[in-house]
């Protein structure tokens, strides 16, 4: 038995060493979560506008075009429960904060990251921010949260090819290397709209309450809330479920009516945005983001 244990330990030791080296290497790769967390910490006394939401905000609003100091704290697949966790964690520290811009998309009230296909992203908040989420043990390790193939690819691209993993400017806005609108955007629109249509409204009541709590917490601090439904490509809009879209828009309108510090803006069908402004069915590209950011800046300056 002792001989077996010795052989087992001898076998496990190299695996453990390789795992530790990989974990260390992965944590040294720059990422958007760390960039935004650091910026918030170093500019907490100057940030006047905080932008929260999913990739719609991440790619769609560039603080470079906003007059006042702003931070884009949007991330891919970031859901409203996490938006609230971010706000709740930092609202008392952001002494200059005047406005929170929050996306109210077709999916906002019908999803939560912890129950979705991309729940592995919880590890990024756990490892690289001060935001406390309901995390599991695996969420405290890169090598346990993501498939080995993907982690090896990240290491190869960063350390061997010297490629930037994420394209995020200092204000948190992200751009994509691929900027041209895909030729098959009509087909993509139908597929994405179907993917974004919730099978049920199991999260609706909880998320609606979270949205209200965000507004109430901002009310207590004298902070304005701007709810924004972002522009989307026309074919995507045509394939959205009418009831889910209606419940989303109605929620925004009710918040606007019930809370004096809240404004709801619906740009979903805004005709100022055409095919050339979209990265895909529901995300703006660099050109579209500049256009939309300037529109938002005009609202914030009123």
């Amino acid at each position: 038995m002792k001989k077996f244990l010795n052989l087992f330990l001898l076998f496990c030791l190299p695996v453990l060493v390789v795992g530790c080296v990989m974990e260390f290497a992965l944590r040294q790769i720059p990422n958007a979560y760390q960039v935004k967390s650091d910026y918030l910490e170093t500019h907490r006394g100057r940030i006047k506008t905080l932008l929260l939401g999913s990739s719609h905000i991440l790619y769609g609003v560039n603080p470079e075009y906003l007059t006042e100091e702003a931070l884009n704290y949007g991330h891919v697949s970031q859901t409203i429960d996490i938006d609230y966790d971010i706000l709740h964690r930092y609202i008392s520290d952001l002494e200059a904060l005047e406005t929170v811009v929050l996306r109210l998309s077709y999916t906002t009230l019908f999803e939560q990251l912890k129950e979705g296909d991309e729940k592995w992203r919880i590890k990024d908040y756990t490892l690289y921010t001060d935001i406390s989420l309901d995390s599991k043990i695996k969420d405290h390790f890169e090598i346990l949260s993501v498939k080995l193939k993907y982690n090896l690819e990240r290491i190869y691209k960063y350390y061997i090819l010297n490629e930037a993993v994420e394209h995020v400017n200092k204000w948190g806005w992200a751009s994509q290397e691929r900027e041209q609108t895909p030729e098959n955007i009509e087909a993509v629109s139908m597929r994405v709209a179907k993917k974004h249509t919730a099978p049920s409204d199991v999260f609706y009541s909880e998320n609606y309450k979270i949205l209200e709590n965000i507004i109430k917490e901002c009310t207590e601090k004298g902070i304005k809330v701007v709810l924004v439904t972002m522009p989307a490509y026309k074919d995507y809009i045509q394939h959205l479920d009418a009831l889910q879209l209606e419940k989303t828009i109605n929620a925004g309108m009710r918040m606007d009516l019930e809370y004096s510090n809240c404004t709801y803006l619906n740009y979903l069908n805004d005709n100022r945005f055409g095919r050339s402004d979209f990265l895909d069915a529901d995300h703006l590209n660099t050109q579209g983001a500049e256009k939309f950011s300037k529109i938002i800046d005009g609202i914030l300056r009123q």
Side-chain angles (χ1 to χ4, degrees), residues 32-33 36 51-65 71-78 103 105 118 120-121 150 165-169 171-179 196 230-231 273 277-294 296:
Y33 296 85
K36 298 183 186 194
L51 301 133
L52 295 171
S54 66
S55 51
H56 293 152
I57 286 289
L58 174 65
Y59 300 125
V61 185
N62 187 350
E64 183 178 359
Y65 299 106
L71 172 64
N72 183 325
Y73 212 119
H75 287 291
V76 173
S77 298
Q78 183 167 293
R103 67 110 189 188
S105 300
E118 298 191 34
W120 59 267
R121 294 183 185 276
Y150 178 62
V165 180
E166 295 178 287
H167 304 271
V168 180
N169 68 15
W171 301 284
W173 173 76
S175 61
Q176 291 274 8
E177 288 184 342
R178 174 184 61 80
E179 278 294 318
H196 288 172
M230 309 274 294
F273 295 87
D277 294 310
F278 290 97
L279 181 67
D280 53 32
D282 61 320
H283 295 96
L284 296 170
N285 58 21
T286 298
Q287 172 183 299
E290 178 180 347
K291 185 185 296 186
F292 187 70
S293 300
K294 290 177 179 178
I296 291 297

Side-chain angles (χ1 to χ4, degrees), residues 126-144:
T126 303
L127 292 175
Y128 304 110
T129 76
D130 292 330
I131 301 158
S132 297
L133 301 181
D134 184 16
S135 59
K136 300 177 181 178
I137 292 176
K138 67 181 182 62
D139 297 319
H140 293 260
F141 298 92
E142 287 276 8
I143 60 173
L144 297 181

Side-chain angles (χ1 to χ4, degrees), residues 6 35 123 159 163 203 206 211 231 233 245-246 276 279:
N6 288 335
V35 169
K123 60 94 178 174
Y159 290 101
E163 290 185 5
F203 293 116
E206 182 181 352
L211 177 59
Y233 189 62
L245 181 59
E246 181 183 4
S276 62
L279 181 67

Side-chain angles (χ1 to χ4, degrees), residues 183-215:
E183 293 182 4
N184 64 336
I185 189 171
E186 287 76 18
V188 171
S189 296
M190 182 185 300
R191 185 169 65 251
V192 174
K194 184 177 180 180
K195 178 183 176 183
H196 288 172
T197 299
S200 72
D201 59 357
V202 63
F203 293 116
Y204 179 82
S205 295
E206 182 181 352
N207 286 345
Y208 186 92
K209 187 65 177 177
I210 291 171
L211 177 59
E212 263 195 318
N213 288 340
I214 288 174
I215 297 171

Side-chain angles (χ1 to χ4, degrees), residues 50-295:
L50 182 65
L51 301 133
L52 295 171
S54 66
S55 51
H56 293 152
I57 286 289
L58 174 65
Y59 300 125
V61 185
N62 187 350
E64 183 178 359
Y65 299 106
L66 303 184
T67 303
E68 302 286 2
E69 182 88 17
L71 172 64
N72 183 325
Y73 212 119
H75 287 291
V76 173
S77 298
Q78 183 167 293
T79 49
I80 195 166
D81 52 320
I82 299 178
D83 293 332
Y84 176 72
D85 288 332
I86 294 168
L87 181 70
H88 186 70
R89 165 64 183 84
Y90 290 113
I91 193 168
S92 296
D93 297 333
L94 300 175
E95 300 171 359
L97 188 63
E98 296 178 353
T99 308
V100 170
V101 177
L102 181 69
R103 67 110 189 188
L104 183 60
S105 300
Y106 178 65
T107 59
T108 299
L109 301 176
F110 298 87
E111 63 179 359
Q112 289 189 1
L113 181 62
K114 63 187 177 185
E115 299 295 337
D117 295 336
E118 298 191 34
K119 58 187 176 184
W120 59 267
R121 294 183 185 276
I122 290 174
K123 60 94 178 174
D124 291 314
Y125 297 93
T126 303
L127 292 175
Y128 304 110
T129 76
D130 292 330
I131 301 158
S132 297
L133 301 181
D134 184 16
S135 59
K136 300 177 181 178
I137 292 176
K138 67 181 182 62
D139 297 319
H140 293 260
F141 298 92
E142 287 276 8
I143 60 173
L144 297 181
S145 302
V146 181
K147 291 181 179 179
L148 177 62
K149 178 182 178 181
Y150 178 62
N151 278 333
L152 290 174
E153 183 179 313
R154 290 171 63 198
I155 289 172
Y156 178 74
K157 284 185 175 181
Y158 182 71
Y159 290 101
I160 305 301
L161 300 182
N162 294 316
E163 290 185 5
V165 180
E166 295 178 287
H167 304 271
V168 180
N169 68 15
K170 69 177 184 178
W171 301 284
W173 173 76
S175 61
Q176 291 274 8
E177 288 184 342
R178 174 184 61 80
E179 278 294 318
Q180 286 191 331
T181 304
E183 293 182 4
N184 64 336
I185 189 171
E186 287 76 18
V188 171
S189 296
M190 182 185 300
R191 185 169 65 251
V192 174
K194 184 177 180 180
K195 178 183 176 183
H196 288 172
T197 299
S200 72
D201 59 357
V202 63
F203 293 116
Y204 179 82
S205 295
E206 182 181 352
N207 286 345
Y208 186 92
K209 187 65 177 177
I210 291 171
L211 177 59
E212 263 195 318
N213 288 340
I214 288 174
I215 297 171
K216 288 177 180 178
E217 194 153 335
C218 287
T219 300
E220 293 173 1
K221 299 285 186 179
I223 296 167
K224 294 180 291 186
V225 177
V226 178
L227 302 178
V228 180
T229 299
M230 309 274 294
Y233 189 62
K234 58 182 178 63
D235 283 57
Y236 171 80
I237 300 169
Q238 290 172 2
H239 289 98
L240 298 180
D241 177 75
L243 181 58
Q244 181 173 328
L245 181 59
E246 181 183 4
K247 292 179 78 170
T248 299
I249 294 172
N250 285 346
M253 294 173 64
R254 282 198 298 271
M255 297 298 170
D256 189 304
L257 287 172
E258 293 178 19
Y259 297 94
S260 60
N261 69 318
C262 179
T263 301
Y264 173 55
L265 304 171
N266 183 359
Y267 295 102
L268 186 64
N269 284 292
D270 195 306
N271 58 18
R272 287 173 289 185
F273 295 87
R275 185 189 184 102
S276 62
D277 294 310
F278 290 97
L279 181 67
D280 53 32
D282 61 320
H283 295 96
L284 296 170
N285 58 21
T286 298
Q287 172 183 299
E290 178 180 347
K291 185 185 296 186
F292 187 70
S293 300
K294 290 177 179 178
I295 291 171

